Amino acid sequence: MVEKRKLASGLTTIQKTFVRSRNGGCMKIVREHYLRSDIPCYSQACNHCITNLKPDAQGNLPLLVLLDLPLKLKNGGQHYVVVDTNVVLQAIDLLENTECFYDVVVPQIVLEEVKNRSFPIYQRLRALVKAADKRFVVFHNEFHEETYITREKDESINDRNDRAVNRCAQWYNEHLAKYSSTKNPIKVILVCNDRNNRKRAIAEGIDARSLEDYIESLPNGDMLRDLIPTENESFEKNAAEIAYPEYYSTSRTMAGIKNGTLYQGVFNTSTYNILEGSVLTPAFKKPLLIVGTKNLNRAFNGDLVIVELLPKDKWREPSTTILEESSIGANDNADDNSQEDLVSDKERRMLALEAVKATIHQGEKKLQPTARVVSITRRSWRFYVGQIASSSVDNETSNASQTCFVILMDKVLPKIRIKTRKAKELLGQRIVVSVDAWPSNSKYPQGHFVRSLGAIETEGAEREALLIEHDVEYRPFSKAVLDCLPKEGENWKVPENLDNGDEQLKKRVDLRDKLVCSIDPPNCQDIDDALHAKPLPNGHYEVGVHIADVTHFVKPNTALDSEGASRGTSVYLVDKRIDMLPMLLGTNLCSLNPYVERFAFSVIWELDENAEIVDVKFMKSIIKSREAFSYEQAQLRIEDGSQNDELTQSIRILLKLSKKLKQKRMDAGALNLSSPEVKVHMDSETSDPGEVEVKKLLETNSLVEEFMLLANISVARKIYDAYPQTAMLRRHAAPPSTNFEALNEILRVRKPGMSISIESSKALADSLDRCVDPNDEYFNTLIRIMSTRCMMAAEYFSSSSYGYPDFRHYGLAVDIYTHFTSPIRRYCDVVAHRQLAGAIGYEMLDSQHRDKHKMELIVRNINKRHRNAQFAGRASIEYYVGQVMKNNESTQEGYVMKSFNNGIVVLVPKFGVEGMIKLEMLGDANSAAYDEEKYELSFTDFKGVSRTVGIFDKVQVAVKSVQDEVSGKRKVQLVLV
Amino acid sequence: MSRLELYSPEGLRVDGRRWNELRRFDCKINTHPAFDGSSYVEQGNSKVICMVRGPMEPPMRSQVNQTQAVIEMNLNIASFSTLQRRKRSKNDKRMIEMKTTLERTFEQSVMSHLYPRTLIEVNVQVLAQDGAVLATMTNAITLALIDAGVAMYDYVSAVSVGIHDQTPLLDLNVLEENDMSCLTIGVVGKSEKLAMLLLEDKMPLDKLENALAVAIAGGHRIRDLMDDEVRSHGNQRVSKLTS
């Protein structure tokens, strides 16, 4: 029943009626739906739509995106593409590829279907439309008078939508033929992978092609052919038996979760054993253990899965064995799908070993419940970087496509089966693949090749691989983003006339007369903080921290802002920095470079002799830095008694106060934890990595740090005061006692008399200080490193998420904290700047930072980005340390950090590297025995000497750099000497 | 969070309108000749009937005001007017708030000093709700009062407006109303005077002016549509008299 009515304003209205069932009952929903005639076709070749454009609320007219000279096919036909839902869902990578798919029309109905099926793909599609460089447009066919179609009687909703897509392609053909300004009207090709729909479309006179046919008909089709994602059938070889258990149906899992027999949680593969993983569910305190291929049931690391508990007789303790993907199933044939056995012999042996152990030890206390995966709610699939396993490539076959394995860089993931014609060329290259499916009758997931990054071990390829693996956005900034920068570019200056009618400029405080200087690491380009100090007549000190005023340039709701928000942080690799904001801002306009005037956001305290805060003021300001010191330079200047100018004096004041601040912090129980941080020196000429050095800390390092902490704390209090619901803060939760159980247990056995208490951060700090081995200086640091790993990660949050007592920063021992001091490289600081500006009445705070939900989204993203950036940075160091070792193999001191029944983990402090030594490398595997009580592994080494090593033992290891044959990753290998 | 694309980057709303477009506005007056004045208004799928009795002698002495007319509002929201059936009592807080808002709006728009010691009884019946119910009721009452021949300073035409990110959206339907803060205003005639302004949640101050401008323009458009109906109805009655 459809009633159409024409309105005076040129709209036609109809009623959309549908039935929705909820909780068993059903509801009839009637919605209005307006059809209009002013939706443009977005083609520059059309001379009709340009007369019929309507502006939006900001008065901007829509841009005509589709070129009047679109790409040509092989046979020369100019065309636009209309895509169907199934193509978008299957081949979004191909749509994003810069070699094909230009001038694409996405019908609204396709966009909606995509959104319902997969929200991430929808977002990628929307991003494509927004970026405009690939000329994608969304055509709102459902709102267009001529393309809206009504559902017919007995027609399924899918058929109706297919028909709507066809109608849309047809309309484009007619429309372009009628109004085209070019001689030969542009053709429209419907790309659709549904055979039946294609047939119908062709009958209606539309040029409909399957994705494969379309790619084939492009001039560069040969190149692109391999990128077409696999459809499920393409791997099929009558695989008769089902290997993996089928997943439960949605209704069954929903019911199971509701009545508490099934549990949902995120699956994490164990770092040391790929046949073991755990799922942390809210229902249990301890994670559920999942062991064995069948129980893992095709779950990937990071998937959201639903699990079912196994009977109690199958409960067991986590294995103490190291197991990597490379060691099992290395001989599998990529083509051979109908393997007789899912569980390999090797895996069986491992299981048997475990079983023997389980029967001997009745260590009830360590027993952990086990479970099996019965369904996967959300896959964590993304792009993966890996390389083709050489053993799976058949060198005989010429150019026909063949199936081969891709071994991923991420050790905890299985290899992926892909089909490619270029297997031989791709050997020895880092390639990006994407996973398409993992059917139950395939031992390995199926995927397709996306692109090659270059040969393994070349700097560019490795860097890109690392960035992709850690999901870091590294592409150059888009034009839309760069357009948000000031027009003056490099020549931007602080206006000379401060009274030029700009209301905000008037509110800035002129601090150019203060003796401001900055202290940073050498060669620092993005200087985001500067300091000054001066004695006051009343014996107190005035101390100012000046932070680059990034928010003056990054206004909310601009492309620049959303890009910064999505990147979240700058990423520092050994040889490269991936900026959060464009270079112009980071290293020039915002950076508080010496001798030039800059806008800043200043925090100015009045501190008394004991560094207690008497008063604090916040202001937007104009400053002129007198000098940019490196830490060493500043240190030298302080120590040089002959320098007594005002600037040096003020640094000395700062140093004096910072020591007091630090002492106060330590007294309050701030932790001094340790992680082995190293720095790689690069040869300045060849930019080859030269040597590795553990970072040194100078007094001036902590000078800057103390004042930054003080600024962050003061700002946190202020913005929490002004915006109690949405203040951007940072917290660090106290570690749960269970985290330290294992470490304390080890300490009890290995170092009697030592323990770590965790009642408070003060107690922890004190007990750490007590853990000293007089014979071994490094032991204390080692304990600190191991404790750091037991701590919780600090996180950003918006103040509505927790109660005030939970705001506490455990590590710094303060009740409230935020990040304010590095807005050039962290987005949290940008938000904090805006909130502080709002709190002091400088400008209105944008609504997105006053909205709990929006803040929640921002916080979640920056937490993720922050973590990824840290991992990427560490991975980069690891890679370069490996490169350095290539030339400097040596024997070093190392410490055992972990022990397993078939290997140990050793840390080499000199290089900050940690490596696993497997039993096979230690000596005779058969003679080895592992004493679990004592955390000791005894074995006979290759010389026939029997040895015993346990946790905390100091050992001599030979450090070598080897390339892992399977994953092509170069890393440090340790060998016990 | 809702994953509905409430305002697409192409500038279209969930139901296909642009930011400054009203929904379908249908109105009729004199629908219930048994009353002194009556009207029926549809704004999109929100449907309201209004019936007015009076000015008349109040049945109770307590209702008598020596200097001006007393306006009595009776609101009734049908239980079937929402998606899920829900009975609303007369003492529901929201109902009372709407009632007071309407009473205050019309006390200053009707020339009540012309009718001392009388009662004007306004009965409003909401048949279907699809957003902007208060605005629809206001428009229905205006029309019914005009039909009843009660002297007013000018039309009171009401419309709602919401803010989605940066864009003001005119005349929200129920999907939009659930997702953003919205403001209902009643514009007096073709002026920029407001007889009513109701904001139930927060709206950023810097966006308010913009939103008001859009809403006032929408109000003027509704006034014109109501004026057309009143005039055509008037002409019809005149032609009946003369023939």
Side-chain angles (χ1 to χ4, degrees):
Chain A
M1 176 207 69
V2 178
E3 172 203 6
K4 272 200 182 184
R5 283 197 41 202
K6 196 93 186 161
L7 298 183
S9 51
L11 301 179
T12 308
T13 169
I14 53 163
Q15 305 283 332
K16 265 200 308 194
T17 312
F18 50 101
V19 176
R20 182 200 289 164
S21 65
R22 185 180 279 170
N23 301 337
C26 76
M27 277 190 289
K28 179 183 163 194
I29 297 172
V30 183
R31 292 234 170 93
E32 278 190 306
H33 192 88
Y34 292 85
L35 301 181
R36 47 197 321 132
S37 54
D38 61 356
I39 296 175
C41 66
Y42 297 105
S43 168
Q44 291 175 2
C46 165
N47 50 24
H48 170 73
C49 291
I50 198 153
T51 59
N52 200 10
L53 297 178
K54 294 273 167 68
D56 66 5
Q58 278 76 37
N60 304 322
L61 285 173
L63 293 174
L64 300 179
V65 177
L66 303 176
L67 275 194
D68 51 356
L69 281 173
L71 293 191
K72 293 178 179 172
L73 295 179
K74 255 184 203 157
N75 59 17
Q78 296 188 334
H79 69 286
Y80 292 153
V81 177
V82 175
V83 288
D84 194 8
T85 318
N86 44 37
V87 172
V88 178
L89 288 173
Q90 277 172 21
I92 182 76
D93 307 339
L94 209 52
L95 294 182
E96 283 172 346
N97 194 309
T98 50
E99 299 287 327
C100 57
F101 281 109
Y102 282 86
D103 302 298
V104 177
V105 178
V106 182
Q108 177 195 8
I109 189 77
V110 168
L111 191 73
E112 274 169 22
E113 282 188 320
V114 167
K115 184 164 61 175
N116 292 336
R117 297 274 289 279
S118 161
F119 196 67
I121 294 184
Y122 161 77
Q123 282 178 314
R124 283 164 75 182
L125 190 58
R126 262 291 175 207
L128 272 177
V129 174
K130 198 175 163 201
D133 46 353
K134 287 212 65 191
R135 308 196 291 273
F136 274 57
V137 292
V138 174
F139 177 69
H140 284 258
N141 65 319
E142 293 293 295
F143 294 141
H144 196 292
E145 223 169 12
E146 291 166 29
T147 54
Y148 179 80
I149 55 164
T150 49
R151 187 171 165 189
E152 273 155 20
K153 200 165 174 264
D154 297 330
E155 191 180 26
S156 80
I157 189 78
N158 279 336
D159 287 348
R160 186 248 161 222
N161 290 349
D162 286 344
R163 208 153 54 82
V165 175
N166 291 354
R167 172 71 200 130
C168 179
Q170 205 175 17
W171 179 84
Y172 257 91
N173 265 334
E174 291 163 6
H175 183 83
L176 290 173
K178 198 164 157 196
Y179 297 111
S180 177
S181 56
T182 51
K183 237 183 280 156
N184 297 324
I186 296 159
K187 282 207 313 175
V188 170
I189 295 176
L190 173 68
V191 180
C192 169
N193 268 352
D194 179 341
R195 206 172 292 133
N196 296 329
N197 188 34
R198 224 155 46 215
K199 215 182 283 167
R200 269 194 303 254
I202 290 169
E204 283 166 31
I206 303 165
D207 187 352
R209 303 180 187 197
S210 72
L211 182 61
E212 239 172 300
D213 291 346
Y214 173 69
I215 294 289
E216 243 13 272
S217 63
L218 288 176
N220 52 357
D222 286 344
M223 260 177 56
L224 299 166
R225 204 182 299 141
D226 273 350
L227 306 179
I228 300 174
T230 57
E231 280 172 77
N232 245 344
E233 310 99 77
S234 61
F235 282 111
E236 261 359 299
K237 276 194 186 159
N238 318 330
E241 71 177 303
I242 293 175
Y244 286 103
E246 287 289 349
Y247 291 138
Y248 288 179
S249 67
T250 325
S251 52
R252 186 165 169 196
T253 53
M254 293 308 272
I257 289 175
K258 230 174 186 174
N259 65 25
T261 52
L262 300 178
Y263 308 93
Q264 185 168 312
V266 176
F267 174 75
N268 284 312
T269 314
S270 146
T271 342
Y272 295 106
N273 185 343
I274 69 141
L275 289 181
E276 190 175 295
S278 59
V279 175
L280 191 61
T281 57
F284 302 98
K285 251 212 265 164
K286 277 196 169 177
L288 297 173
L289 207 61
I290 299 174
V291 186
T293 324
K294 269 217 159 116
N295 290 339
L296 291 174
N297 201 1
R298 295 170 273 161
F300 259 56
N301 188 22
D303 285 352
L304 187 63
V305 299
I306 294 172
V307 295
E308 186 179 59
L309 278 181
L310 289 175
K312 196 170 176 191
D313 54 318
K314 294 208 178 122
W315 290 9
R316 32 166 291 178
E317 47 193 283
S319 80
T320 46
T321 313
I322 303 161
L323 194 59
E324 279 167 13
E325 168 69 19
S326 48
S327 59
I328 54 162
N331 304 324
D332 277 351
N333 186 349
D335 257 335
D336 180 14
N337 207 354
S338 56
Q339 3 97 0
E340 58 300 335
D341 218 345
L342 189 64
V343 187
S344 67
D345 275 351
K346 182 136 186 181
E347 196 188 334
R348 286 237 166 85
R349 273 201 295 278
M350 305 286 316
L351 258 174
L353 234 127
E354 294 284 325
V356 170
K357 220 176 64 186
T359 43
I360 297 171
H361 290 284
Q362 287 299 339
E364 269 289 329
K365 128 183 132 174
K366 279 192 178 171
L367 219 55
Q368 227 169 307
T370 56
R372 65 191 189 95
V373 175
V374 295
S375 177
I376 290 177
T377 320
R378 199 182 54 231
R379 284 288 191 187
S380 59
W381 290 346
R382 53 180 172 96
F383 284 132
Y384 294 105
V385 184
Q387 59 148 346
I388 291 186
S390 53
S391 60
S392 68
V393 177
D394 179 5
N395 282 319
E396 302 297 307
T397 18
S398 50
N399 254 337
S401 96
Q402 54 171 315
T403 315
C404 48
F405 280 133
V406 176
I407 292 163
L408 302 183
M409 287 180 70
D410 197 344
K411 276 265 164 68
V412 297
L413 297 175
K415 41 193 163 214
I416 289 167
R417 199 196 305 258
I418 65 163
K419 213 168 186 175
T420 173
R421 276 168 236 259
K422 293 190 282 190
K424 263 194 287 178
E425 291 164 50
L426 294 177
L427 261 183
Q429 301 216 357
R430 283 258 173 262
I431 60 168
V432 182
V433 293
S434 143
V435 186
D436 300 324
W438 195 347
S440 61
N441 53 11
S442 159
K443 184 165 179 188
Y444 293 101
Q446 302 170 347
H448 67 270
F449 167 71
V450 177
R451 68 197 163 96
S452 165
L453 300 177
I456 287 174
E457 290 252 288
T458 52
E459 222 167 274
E462 294 296 335
R463 184 165 61 222
E464 217 174 325
L466 198 141
L467 292 172
I468 293 176
E469 273 298 295
H470 294 94
D471 197 17
V472 176
E473 175 63 73
Y474 60 94
R475 282 177 294 190
F477 290 95
S478 71
K479 190 174 169 297
V481 171
L482 295 176
D483 283 346
C484 301
L485 299 174
K487 277 182 224 67
E488 300 88 343
E490 305 231 328
N491 301 320
W492 179 91
K493 277 197 186 73
V494 170
E496 276 170 28
N497 180 9
L498 295 184
D499 198 18
N500 61 358
D502 185 345
E503 276 304 308
Q504 293 201 327
L505 194 58
K506 263 192 212 161
K507 293 186 194 165
R508 275 190 193 272
V509 183
D510 189 352
L511 298 177
R512 282 175 288 192
D513 54 331
K514 306 275 184 209
L515 288 175
V516 173
C517 67
S518 60
I519 307 176
D520 284 285
N523 305 325
C524 179
Q525 287 171 314
D526 43 354
I527 304 175
D528 37 23
D529 49 72
L531 297 150
H532 87 269
K534 82 169 188 215
L536 291 175
N538 61 359
H540 291 174
Y541 298 100
E542 176 190 280
V543 177
V545 164
H546 312 276
I547 307 297
D549 191 7
V550 171
T551 50
H552 178 77
F553 300 99
V554 184
K555 296 287 183 211
N557 302 312
T558 57
L560 179 60
D561 180 50
S562 54
E563 182 71 24
S566 80
R567 293 194 179 209
T569 172
S570 293
V571 180
Y572 291 80
L573 305 183
V574 171
D575 53 340
K576 197 172 160 66
R577 187 183 68 228
I578 314 290
D579 289 313
M580 177 178 90
L581 297 171
M583 278 280 271
L584 177 66
L585 290 184
T587 60
N588 193 348
L589 302 193
C590 290
S591 178
L592 301 176
N593 295 340
Y595 329 122
V596 287
E597 294 176 7
R598 287 281 179 254
F599 281 164
F601 209 145
S602 304
V603 181
I604 296 187
W605 298 276
E606 187 182 337
L607 297 179
D608 66 13
E609 197 58 36
N610 296 319
E612 295 288 346
I613 300 173
V614 179
D615 186 30
V616 55
K617 285 200 226 52
F618 306 94
M619 63 200 79
K620 291 249 184 176
S621 60
I622 306 169
I623 62 157
K624 187 173 176 184
S625 171
R626 298 295 192 271
E627 194 65 66
F629 294 112
S630 70
Y631 290 126
E632 284 94 341
Q633 283 170 340
Q635 189 74 35
L636 289 177
R637 191 128 175 189
I638 291 169
E639 285 162 6
D640 183 356
S642 64
Q643 301 244 21
N644 275 318
D645 54 300
E646 259 188 282
L647 191 58
T648 317
Q649 294 291 4
S650 70
I651 305 177
R652 290 194 184 124
I653 296 175
L654 287 171
L655 184 67
K656 186 177 74 180
L657 291 171
S658 76
K659 284 181 177 161
K660 288 187 176 140
L661 285 170
K662 181 161 190 178
Q663 193 50 49
K664 274 199 291 185
R665 214 159 52 80
M666 289 300 158
D667 292 345
L671 295 177
N672 177 15
L673 293 174
S674 205
S675 61
E677 259 191 279
V678 293
K679 192 174 161 53
V680 181
H681 279 283
M682 309 285 267
D683 191 312
S684 48
E685 225 169 286
T686 56
S687 79
D688 278 337
E691 53 183 307
V692 184
E693 173 192 55
V694 179
K695 275 189 193 167
K696 275 194 293 231
L697 290 176
L698 295 168
E699 269 182 335
T700 39
N701 283 52
S702 88
L703 181 159
V704 177
E705 195 189 337
E706 289 306 322
F707 284 106
M708 293 308 130
L709 292 178
L710 193 64
N712 285 338
I713 297 166
S714 296
V715 170
R717 288 196 210 289
K718 180 75 182 174
I719 59 177
Y720 176 60
D721 192 40
Y723 304 101
Q725 290 295 304
T726 57
M728 172 65 100
L729 301 174
R730 187 169 172 84
R731 70 191 277 270
H732 183 207
S737 58
T738 47
N739 282 11
F740 277 94
E741 261 171 28
L743 183 57
N744 263 330
E745 174 67 17
I746 296 173
L747 271 177
R748 191 181 62 78
V749 177
R750 304 290 307 171
K751 297 275 172 185
M754 286 189 201
S755 74
I756 294 172
S757 52
I758 50 159
E759 293 87 67
S760 66
S761 52
K762 175 114 181 92
L764 179 59
D766 291 346
S767 63
L768 280 176
D769 288 339
R770 281 195 302 272
C771 289
V772 186
D773 185 343
N775 305 324
D776 192 350
E777 261 177 57
Y778 192 72
F779 177 70
N780 188 261
T781 317
L782 185 68
I783 286 292
R784 283 180 199 275
I785 290 171
M786 290 174 80
S787 310
T788 311
R789 297 189 182 171
C790 300
M791 303 291 278
M792 306 288 286
E795 61 173 357
Y796 298 110
F797 69 104
S798 110
S799 52
S800 61
S801 326
Y802 294 96
Y804 187 79
D806 291 328
F807 288 5
R808 224 185 137 61
H809 196 292
Y810 184 81
L812 296 173
V814 288
D815 55 343
I816 188 166
Y817 191 68
T818 189
H819 270 164
F820 171 77
T821 52
S822 304
I824 297 178
R825 57 189 177 86
R826 287 189 305 232
Y827 192 72
C828 165
D829 305 53
V830 174
V831 178
H833 272 234
R834 289 193 187 134
Q835 291 185 333
L836 185 62
I840 61 171
Y842 177 78
E843 62 190 353
M844 278 288 286
L845 179 60
D846 185 68
S847 54
Q848 61 170 320
H849 301 317
R850 276 180 284 163
D851 182 322
K852 274 191 221 171
H853 289 289
K854 290 197 176 139
M855 283 298 285
E856 203 54 50
L857 293 180
I858 294 175
V859 161
R860 212 178 304 157
N861 184 50
I862 58 178
N863 275 327
K864 188 175 108 196
R865 297 289 163 194
H866 182 79
R867 212 162 38 234
N868 285 349
Q870 281 185 322
F871 289 149
R874 265 181 236 160
S876 167
I877 290 178
E878 194 183 315
Y879 169 74
Y880 273 101
V881 170
Q883 293 292 321
V884 174
M885 292 307 136
K886 215 157 58 171
N887 311 322
N888 326 321
E889 296 189 350
S890 59
T891 303
Q892 296 291 343
E893 257 173 29
Y895 292 87
V896 180
M897 292 188 78
K898 270 196 170 100
S899 60
F900 296 95
N901 68 5
N902 62 350
I904 52 174
V905 176
V906 175
L907 172 81
V908 180
K910 170 109 193 269
F911 303 124
V913 293
E914 202 181 315
M916 198 150 66
I917 310 180
K918 286 197 209 164
L919 193 53
E920 295 97 281
M921 304 291 295
L922 291 171
D924 182 13
N926 293 327
S927 69
Y930 182 59
D931 186 346
E932 237 172 283
E933 304 283 294
K934 285 190 166 154
Y935 301 96
E936 277 177 350
L937 183 66
S938 36
F939 55 91
T940 330
D941 70 5
F942 292 116
K943 294 184 198 113
V945 189
S946 75
R947 290 183 62 167
T948 302
V949 285
I951 293 188
F952 299 138
D953 281 359
K954 194 197 248 180
V955 289
Q956 292 291 319
V957 285
V959 186
K960 282 190 218 162
S961 160
V962 287
Q963 191 169 10
D964 190 352
E965 286 157 40
V966 202
S967 71
K969 226 179 184 174
R970 179 172 288 280
K971 57 173 194 179
V972 176
Q973 194 182 47
L974 307 176
V975 178
L976 213 55
V977 195
Chain B
M1 274 189 80
S2 158
R3 285 182 165 175
L4 223 51
E5 211 172 52
L6 282 177
Y7 185 67
S8 70
E10 286 76 28
L12 293 168
R13 291 156 67 175
V14 264
D15 56 2
R17 286 179 293 154
R18 292 194 190 278
W19 58 282
N20 59 351
E21 287 172 346
L22 288 173
R23 288 181 289 175
R24 178 176 55 86
F25 184 88
D26 273 336
C27 57
K28 283 197 198 91
I29 60 171
N30 206 16
T31 48
H32 299 69
F35 287 82
D36 294 324
S38 56
S39 68
Y40 172 70
V41 173
E42 280 187 22
Q43 256 172 280
N45 279 335
S46 292
K47 296 168 190 174
V48 170
I49 298 176
C50 178
M51 293 148 293
V52 171
R53 246 195 269 270
M56 59 184 180
E57 192 181 335
M60 278 183 290
R61 301 278 315 247
S62 61
Q63 286 170 312
V64 176
N65 184 327
Q66 293 298 325
T67 57
Q68 59 174 45
V70 173
I71 299 178
E72 182 190 297
M73 289 279 168
N74 298 313
L75 294 193
N76 188 15
I77 296 185
S79 58
F80 52 79
S81 65
T82 43
L83 267 182
Q84 269 143 332
R85 268 174 187 272
R86 188 167 127 208
K87 182 92 183 136
R88 273 208 150 126
S89 84
K90 278 216 165 124
N91 299 323
D92 184 317
K93 278 213 173 127
R94 258 189 80 74
M95 297 271 284
I96 292 173
E97 191 188 356
M98 281 203 270
K99 197 175 133 182
T100 339
T101 313
L102 288 172
E103 269 168 6
R104 289 202 185 136
T105 306
F106 283 98
E107 264 161 23
Q108 41 177 323
S109 306
V110 169
M111 297 183 182
S112 47
H113 61 275
L114 297 180
Y115 314 105
R117 294 183 299 281
T118 60
L119 172 74
I120 302 174
E121 180 195 289
V122 180
N123 299 295
V124 182
Q125 173 73 50
V126 178
L127 299 179
Q129 299 190 49
D130 184 23
V133 184
L134 184 71
T136 317
M137 291 196 285
T138 314
N139 295 331
I141 295 170
T142 304
L143 285 172
L145 285 173
I146 290 172
D147 185 37
V150 175
M152 287 171 76
Y153 292 101
D154 209 331
Y155 285 91
V156 180
S157 49
V159 69
S160 68
V161 64
I163 297 266
H164 182 263
D165 282 343
Q166 299 297 300
T167 313
L169 299 181
L170 186 65
D171 197 7
L172 307 180
N173 67 22
V174 75
L175 282 178
E176 295 169 323
E177 210 174 63
N178 287 341
D179 216 81
M180 59 186 98
S181 59
C182 94
L183 171 78
T184 306
I185 64 160
V187 188
V188 179
K190 279 285 205 187
S191 71
E192 297 200 339
K193 285 186 204 150
L194 300 185
M196 170 174 83
L197 190 149
L198 187 74
L199 177 65
E200 289 177 348
D201 37 24
K202 288 187 286 187
M203 189 170 282
L205 200 60
D206 44 337
K207 310 271 160 54
L208 190 68
E209 200 177 321
N210 200 354
L212 276 178
V214 173
I216 288 172
H220 290 168
R221 172 106 190 97
I222 286 182
R223 192 212 83 106
D224 290 343
L225 290 169
M226 295 200 292
D227 197 46
D228 286 348
E229 167 64 16
V230 170
R231 283 180 197 281
S232 74
H233 180 78
N235 287 337
Q236 214 179 344
R237 278 173 109 164
V238 170
S239 68
K240 267 185 199 157
L241 281 180
T242 50
S243 63

